[in-house]
Amino acid sequence: VNGLQARTFGVWTFLSSVIRCLCAIDIRNRTLYYITLFTFFLALVHFLSEVFIYHTAALTIGIMAPLMVASFSILGMLIGLQYLEVEALSQNKKKN
């Protein structure tokens, strides 16, 4: 890893955390919710590809932790997405 790669990964991590915090603040914003969900998919694909495709990382606790966080977060957000859609439908019925 050189300095540029480290800084790029740091900026990506910071950007992801800002997006995720904004989603936590405004959980009903569907666009932000989908973008946040995408960041977890992207992280999962990134770490899986480093382990299984490029073989640049070993399957240790340092890799397992982000894999588990991304996996559980995706699962939780997909479950939460159902409630978000139900809430949007109920608000539309109230307006009509």
Side-chain angles (χ1 to χ4, degrees):
V1 173
N2 61 33
L4 175 62
Q5 290 171 324
R7 287 187 298 276
T8 302
F9 191 71
V11 168
W12 158 252
T13 303
F14 179 70
L15 178 63
S16 295
S17 65
V18 168
I19 291 170
R20 293 167 186 170
C21 287
L22 290 173
C23 183
I25 292 169
D26 187 11
I27 195 76
R28 290 180 179 86
N29 184 333
R30 295 174 65 107
T31 304
L32 191 55
Y33 196 91
Y34 285 122
I35 291 170
T36 304
L37 184 59
F38 178 73
T39 65
F40 285 115
F41 274 116
L42 194 59
L44 183 67
V45 168
H46 167 71
F47 285 107
L48 287 174
S49 68
E50 291 298 329
V51 172
F52 295 112
I53 296 173
Y54 301 113
H55 305 288
T56 55
L59 205 55
T60 61
I61 191 67
I63 296 297
M64 290 297 294
L67 286 175
M68 290 181 354
V69 168
S71 299
F72 290 132
S73 297
I74 290 169
L75 181 64
M77 288 192 75
L78 289 175
I79 292 169
L81 185 61
Q82 294 174 352
Y83 292 105
L84 193 63
E85 290 175 356
V86 167
E87 184 179 315
L89 289 175
S90 66
Q91 287 179 355
N92 285 339
K93 286 182 182 178
K94 289 180 183 178
K95 289 180 183 177
N96 294 332

